[in-house]
Every structure is written in C-alpha cells, then in structure tokens.
Amino acid sequence: MSETFWRDRPVFLTGHSGFMGGWLSAFLQDGGARVHGYSLPAPTDPSFFAATGLGDNLAASTFGDVRDLDDLTSAMQAAAPSIVFHLAAQPLVRRAHDEPIETVSTNIMGTANLLEAARQAGSVEAIIVVTTDKVYRNLEREEPYGEKSELGGREPYSASKAGSEFMVEAWRHSYFRGKGVGVSTVRAGNIFGGGDWAQDRIVPDAVRRFSAGQPLILRNPHSTRPWQHVLDPLRGYLTLAERMVAEPQKYSDGWNFGPALEDCREVGKLAAIMAASWGEDASVEVESDQRIFEEKFLSLDCSKAREELGWTPRLPLEQGIEQTMAWYRAHQDGADMWEFTLGQIQQHKSMEAHA
C-alpha cells in the first residue's frame, strides 16, 4: 500500500455503519482519506459505529438506503469521489432464509443502484463491490475455489450475492469499459474482528455468551470455513483500488482475499481457540440445527492476489482471535475505542506477511 495515495482522496463508502464498513472507514481515515459514508443506521446496539464514534471522524456520514436510487445518486454527486467501495448489504445467511425478498432487493438492486449512481457521478476512477466467498457454486470439494470457479447459490443469501456479481459484470462491460474506470468485486472469507455484534455470527455470539458466563452453542461444529481477521482483506481492497486507478483495464475483475489454507478450520476448532483466548471458564456445547441449509466445506484460492498484487494475509488465526478478544475487553473496560481501533490498524500495517 502507498503511504501517500489516500491522503485527501475523496472516497464514497456504502455500509459504513456496519462492522466491516466501519473498519474500512477507519482504515481509510488512518491513511488520510476523506471518507463519505452512506448507510442505514447501525444494525445493532451496541455497534462498531457507536463504540468508536465513527460518524464524528468522517468527512460526511449520511443515513440512507441503497435501494433509493435518487437519494444515493444525490449523496454520491455531493461527495464527488475518486474511489467507491460498496459494502451495504443484507449479510446474514439465516436472515436471508427468513427474509429472502428484502435480501434480494438489497443485495442485487442495491448493487445495481450503486453502479448507476457511480456512472452518473463523473468523478469516479475505481469501484470495488464487496461480495462474499459464498458466491461460488459449492460442490463440497476439498480444493479451494478460484476466481474462475462457477458462481451460484443454493440458498437466498448466496444466490443474492452471486446476483450482485452479475450486476457488476453487466455494468462493467456495458458502461465502464474503455472509460478509464476500474470496476472489481472482492470475495473474502468468514470475517471476524472487534466491534461485530451481529446475530448468528460465531465470534459475536461467543463474546455475548462468554461475557454472560454461558457456553457457546454450536449448530454445525464440523463445517469448515476460511476464517480471517477483518484487517487482512481490507488491506487487500485498498491495494487493489490503488492498482485499479493506475491500470483500470488490467485490474478490473473478481478477486479472492482469503486466509492462509491452514486457517480454513472447522467451526468447532475456532470455538475452542476463542474459549481459550477468552479464559474465565469459557465453554462450548453442540446443539445440532438442521433447519437452515449451509454448505459444509468452503475455502478460497488466493494465488491471484498474491501473484498480481503482492498481497498475503498477515494475521494467523490464533493471533487474529487474540486481537479480537482484546478489542471487546477494551470496550468493556471503557477504553477510547477510536484510538484503540487505530492502534490495531497501525500495528497491522507494520506486520510481516503470514503465508
């Protein structure tokens, strides 16, 4: 990553009130960018957004719905961004099962609206749309999925995110090709880090249960996922954006940013690491839940990002969990969470690669 690229650069970021969008906003602020956030209000209470006072530390923080094209377009034109990051989404598998139409409208039409608003803005040099590792049609195979693997989904969340990928492809080839605007999608693994309080995600579920002196309940302990601390893929996104501005045609594509293969582990093993890191008699129990379909095995081939961007993960799983638990502990102790968050970002920037 460049030390000067982001300084005073206007960035428009949807989903800034969410967990990953909040961390990306902080990462960009640390690099000197002028971040204009656009999002629904924070989806949880507590939230990363409130805990860090993020809204007070950005150039602008606007609450709005990406399904409202006119409002989104107006906000983007006011920001006149150089770079656009699209993270606003309905990100939960179980909620997607219960609310499929809201999920589809947010994840597919929200993405189409974002691309159209960026097309109208006139200032945009690069657009990065954040999807998920679950965009790949899961064949329950042992080998990792690469960027050329087939897209698809057998449940509403995966299908909606694959659909957003198709929107990006359509706008890239119909409207942005040859116009000097880079357009890419990025697909990360199962993200964790401090400040996530979403329901039905294993790390915040663990923190809630451990804080209350209760065991963490697992429903699919043998499912394998590519676990990674949020800062690793975010550094990849920023690196990609820099390259896209310099050579938009070359770098406009889909990109995987996943953990080292040894960190693709079973849910039960991750739970054990969290319990050990938390201490204080934290425990784990298994209660099978077959009501919601979930794929059993998933890992990513990130050789493209390694070879073409020089990106590799820096935080091994155990160290990422330690940093995450430290964030929640600091929040419980009343620390200044904006400064604590920036400290973790600066520490991450100084680390050597892990892989």
Side-chain angles (χ1 to χ4, degrees):
M1 288 175 55
S2 167
E3 291 295 322
T4 60
F5 178 89
W6 296 99
R7 197 169 299 157
D8 292 324
R9 186 175 293 270
V11 176
F12 190 84
L13 191 157
T14 71
H16 71 295
S17 67
F19 161 62
M20 192 176 198
W23 274 98
L24 180 54
S25 297
F27 211 140
L28 286 162
Q29 284 291 116
D30 187 65
R34 290 187 283 117
V35 181
H36 300 254
Y38 183 92
S39 178
L40 293 174
T44 62
D45 182 16
S47 67
F48 180 92
F49 184 82
T52 60
L54 180 63
D56 296 329
N57 291 291
L58 303 183
S61 175
T62 301
F63 291 139
D65 193 326
V66 292
R67 292 173 293 185
D68 185 336
L69 177 58
D70 291 341
D71 190 58
L72 178 61
T73 301
S74 176
M76 189 174 297
Q77 290 178 344
S82 165
I83 312 290
V84 173
F85 289 98
H86 179 47
L87 288 84
Q90 195 302 94
L92 302 175
V93 173
R94 186 171 292 200
R95 181 176 171 188
H97 178 85
D98 294 337
E99 302 175 6
I101 302 304
E102 180 196 15
T103 299
V104 168
S105 65
T106 299
N107 293 352
I108 296 181
M109 282 307 303
T111 298
N113 286 344
L114 180 283
L115 294 165
E116 185 62 12
R119 184 165 79 98
Q120 301 298 331
S123 60
V124 177
E125 298 177 90
I127 304 166
I128 291 181
V129 175
V130 178
T131 61
T132 174
D133 56 347
K134 297 173 183 64
V135 295
Y136 295 113
R137 185 175 297 280
N138 197 309
L139 304 176
E140 297 294 348
R141 65 188 194 186
E142 293 293 323
E143 62 268 25
Y145 291 85
E147 286 87 351
K148 300 303 181 184
S149 298
E150 182 183 4
L151 302 182
R154 293 187 289 176
E155 41 79 23
Y157 174 71
S158 297
S160 73
K161 294 302 257 182
S164 71
E165 292 266 357
F166 296 140
M167 294 300 101
V168 172
E169 181 74 2
W171 258 257
R172 178 165 52 215
H173 284 274
S174 297
Y175 305 115
F176 294 112
R177 185 171 55 178
K179 302 294 179 61
V181 180
V183 186
S184 291
T185 59
V186 291
R187 307 152 185 171
N190 283 47
I191 304 301
F192 63 83
D196 185 5
W197 277 282
Q199 296 292 328
D200 292 325
R201 283 204 194 119
I202 188 169
V203 174
D205 283 351
V207 170
R208 278 188 288 267
R209 301 288 291 188
F210 295 162
S211 297
Q214 300 172 338
L216 171 64
I217 308 299
L218 303 182
R219 64 178 184 268
N220 291 304
H222 300 297
S223 293
T224 298
R225 294 289 182 268
W227 310 104
Q228 59 189 145
H229 190 277
V230 64
L231 289 177
D232 267 334
L234 293 186
R235 182 172 45 83
Y237 301 171
L238 300 182
T239 301
L240 174 61
E242 294 175 17
R243 303 292 181 88
M244 289 168 64
V245 168
E247 298 182 79
Q249 189 74 20
K250 178 177 179 180
Y251 291 100
S252 292
D253 205 353
W255 297 83
N256 286 346
F257 292 97
L261 288 180
E262 61 266 25
D263 287 339
C264 295
R265 306 194 203 178
E266 291 186 348
V267 170
K269 293 181 179 178
L270 174 71
I273 293 170
M274 290 191 293
S277 179
W278 187 267
E280 296 184 1
D281 299 320
S283 61
V284 178
E285 296 180 1
V286 175
E287 182 178 283
S288 181
D289 183 353
Q290 301 302 324
R291 293 174 294 170
I292 308 300
F293 173 79
E294 289 187 278
E295 309 288 3
K296 299 302 180 186
F297 185 89
L298 184 59
S299 65
L300 295 175
D301 177 353
C302 301
S303 57
K304 178 180 172 183
R306 182 175 64 249
E307 294 165 6
E308 299 187 28
L309 299 176
W311 175 89
T312 52
R314 294 183 176 180
L315 274 172
L317 180 59
E318 288 82 359
Q319 190 172 348
I321 289 296
E322 288 177 7
Q323 289 199 11
T324 298
M325 297 305 169
W327 196 102
Y328 286 109
R329 294 278 197 194
H331 180 258
Q332 287 183 345
D333 292 342
D336 182 329
M337 295 314 298
W338 177 249
E339 292 301 323
F340 193 91
T341 297
L342 293 183
Q344 289 198 335
I345 290 170
Q346 290 156 11
Q347 179 183 1
H348 188 268
K349 287 181 177 180
S350 68
M351 294 180 66
E352 297 295 328
H354 160 66

